Amino acid sequence: MDLIASTSDLAAVCQRLASHAFVTVDTEFLRETTFWPKLCVVQLASEAEAVAVDALAPDIDLAPFFDLMRDPKVVKVFHAARQDLEIIWHLGGFVAAPLFDTQVAAMVCGFGDQVSYEQLAGSLAGAHIDKSSRFTDWSRRPLSPAQLEYAIADVTHLRTVYVKLLAKLEKNGRLDWLGEEMSILTSPDTYRQPPERAWERLKTRIRKPRDLAVLIEVAAWREREAQSRDVPRSRVLKDEAVGEVALAAPRTVEELGRLRTIPQGFERSRVGADILAAVEAGLARDPAGLPAMHKERSNSSAGATVQLLKVLLQATSEHKGVAAKIIASVDDLEAIATDHADDRAVLRGWRRELFGEQAIALKEGRLTLGVEKGRVVTRMA
């Protein structure tokens, strides 16, 4: 099978695909040495055909593909869509919709947390996926027959997976349950990466407003630097170095050079000067304008309550056939244990009906847990 490598061929195939109710989509990309993912291959399939597109072809314009991804009449089916959607957002400036993510749908149907495509293809389509080409270099040309076969398999079997999951969701009355998750995946805010919020993804020991102010500025500088140079964040400055700079707040070249996470000589480079400038910007910030820091929950009884809530969550997951991860997170359980009025998804909609109400009742002592025939059961007190 040949790769589609011209704009005219791509336009023709996208026109055919647009006549169908859904298309399955996957991408192959590289990201090890860049900040932005480098799109190499796009795979598309309808009920009638399956194709692979050479996104690196010298003269190809991906506009027909983007038009298809925008088409409101065609459902775009992905498995674990987030990275694929991020690529479309970066290159096209929009989020593909309407959307169906088979990994999320599988969680709602009880296939477990973050079930793989290979597992679903085997379970629902009876297919065996040869994974030997998964980690090959998709930017090298020509692609091997094995690579093309692997790439196309990612969208052909996905058709069967989608049809069967959709039928299960409709039969169980759970199709609407996907709405909140799909709204998150199709929100542009999910893919925007403003440097001012780069600090939020870092795990640090920051507790003081001054340290937070410096962290925000240094992390924002690193994000801008990585984006402009199109290199991974760690190539600019490692996470632990960002955290150490925030805590130490060095103001001179000598102070910066004494930090153990700063490579020798780094402090006297242009980047070193940029870090010191970011530190000064952080120190100059008004503490009153800083975002709220995460506060450790100090309720000594919450730990035991959280453990009980975990048991209830697991029991609910098993009894109702819904992956625990999509019902509630550990943070959700901690929030319920301390203050169930917290505005979280677990206390809204189907999640509240399925788990949230019982979780509140358990915390308040109106519900108890027991074991019958080896299974956890609930009883109203």
Side-chain angles (χ1 to χ4, degrees):
M1 185 191 114
D2 295 328
L3 279 169
I4 289 177
S6 72
T7 304
S8 59
D9 287 346
L10 177 60
V13 75
C14 286
Q15 185 175 14
R16 295 195 302 271
L17 292 171
S19 67
H20 293 265
F22 74 90
V23 294
T24 54
V25 192
D26 191 33
T27 65
E28 306 299 340
F29 59 90
L30 299 177
R31 198 172 196 167
E32 289 77 11
T33 61
T34 60
F35 183 91
W36 307 108
K38 180 180 180 180
L39 181 60
C40 300
V41 181
V42 177
Q43 304 99 279
L44 300 163
S46 68
E47 296 168 288
E49 64 181 313
V51 299
V53 180
D54 186 356
L56 298 179
D59 300 317
I60 198 165
D61 184 344
L62 293 178
F65 166 67
F66 293 142
D67 289 341
L68 178 64
M69 293 298 98
R70 286 190 185 95
D71 192 329
K73 302 184 300 297
V74 182
V75 176
K76 271 65 72 174
V77 180
F78 294 82
H79 182 82
R82 184 157 181 158
Q83 291 192 86
D84 302 305
L85 295 175
E86 181 187 0
I87 291 172
I88 295 171
W89 167 260
H90 174 59
L91 296 178
F94 69 98
V95 184
L99 176 70
F100 189 101
D101 188 324
T102 56
Q103 186 177 70
V104 177
M107 293 168 72
V108 173
C109 289
F111 282 87
D113 294 344
Q114 294 184 314
V115 61
S116 71
Y117 171 67
E118 290 78 18
Q119 290 173 305
L120 281 182
S123 176
L124 297 178
H128 172 71
I129 306 297
D130 181 0
K131 298 184 286 186
S132 60
S133 297
R134 171 178 290 180
F135 299 111
T136 55
D137 185 349
W138 292 97
S139 67
R140 298 185 64 179
R141 297 293 182 269
L143 295 176
S144 70
Q147 284 178 298
L148 288 173
E149 182 178 353
Y150 169 83
I152 287 296
D154 274 354
V155 288
T156 53
H157 301 306
L158 191 57
R159 298 177 296 197
T160 303
V161 170
Y162 166 67
V163 169
K164 291 191 173 182
L165 284 175
L166 182 61
K168 284 178 178 287
L169 291 167
E170 291 175 336
K171 180 180 179 181
N172 296 336
R174 295 180 178 179
L175 187 57
D176 289 344
W177 292 17
L178 267 67
E180 184 173 327
E181 298 300 317
M182 294 304 100
S183 66
I184 293 171
L185 283 173
T186 55
S187 170
D189 289 339
T190 301
Y191 307 98
R192 292 189 179 110
Q193 300 187 48
E196 296 74 22
R197 298 188 62 182
W199 67 276
E200 295 176 359
R201 68 171 60 89
L202 296 169
K203 295 181 179 180
T204 68
R205 295 177 285 114
I206 297 297
R207 295 293 179 268
K208 298 177 182 178
R210 186 209 71 159
D211 300 343
L212 176 61
V214 176
L215 177 71
I216 292 172
E217 293 295 337
V218 175
W221 162 78
R222 184 182 68 161
E223 193 79 357
R224 289 190 292 267
E225 185 77 8
Q227 290 182 6
S228 65
R229 288 164 49 186
D230 194 17
V231 297
R233 298 178 182 93
S234 60
R235 292 277 186 93
V236 177
L237 197 66
K238 294 185 181 300
D239 286 358
E240 55 266 32
V242 175
E244 187 177 18
V245 169
L247 289 169
R251 307 190 72 171
T252 66
V253 169
E254 292 72 24
E255 289 176 351
L256 180 62
R258 283 196 289 270
L259 300 184
R260 61 179 180 81
T261 55
I262 299 298
Q264 187 174 7
F266 194 83
E267 71 277 9
R268 298 189 180 279
S269 67
R270 187 269 304 175
V271 171
D274 288 345
I275 293 173
L276 291 174
V279 170
E280 292 298 330
L283 294 174
R285 290 188 64 145
D286 179 2
L290 295 175
M293 289 186 288
H294 171 73
K295 294 182 179 179
E296 298 291 334
R297 297 186 173 98
S298 58
N299 189 338
S300 59
S301 65
T305 305
V306 170
Q307 294 306 313
L308 286 175
L309 289 170
K310 286 181 179 179
V311 174
L312 177 63
L313 176 61
Q314 187 60 39
T316 302
S317 171
E318 293 173 359
H319 294 171
K320 301 297 184 180
V322 183
K325 185 173 183 177
I326 203 170
I327 300 172
S329 66
V330 173
D331 281 347
D332 291 331
L333 301 185
E334 291 178 350
I336 293 172
T338 54
D339 180 6
H340 63 69
D342 199 346
D343 183 26
R344 289 175 175 265
V346 68
L347 298 181
R348 298 195 301 269
W350 66 267
R351 290 179 175 87
R352 185 180 185 104
E353 182 180 346
L354 189 75
F355 173 75
E357 290 287 0
Q358 285 194 318
I360 294 170
L362 177 63
K363 178 200 168 180
E364 294 180 344
R366 295 183 287 108
L367 180 141
T368 61
L369 300 176
V371 178
E372 291 182 3
K373 297 180 180 179
R375 298 185 69 189
V376 174
V377 296
T378 60
R379 303 184 184 92
M380 293 304 294

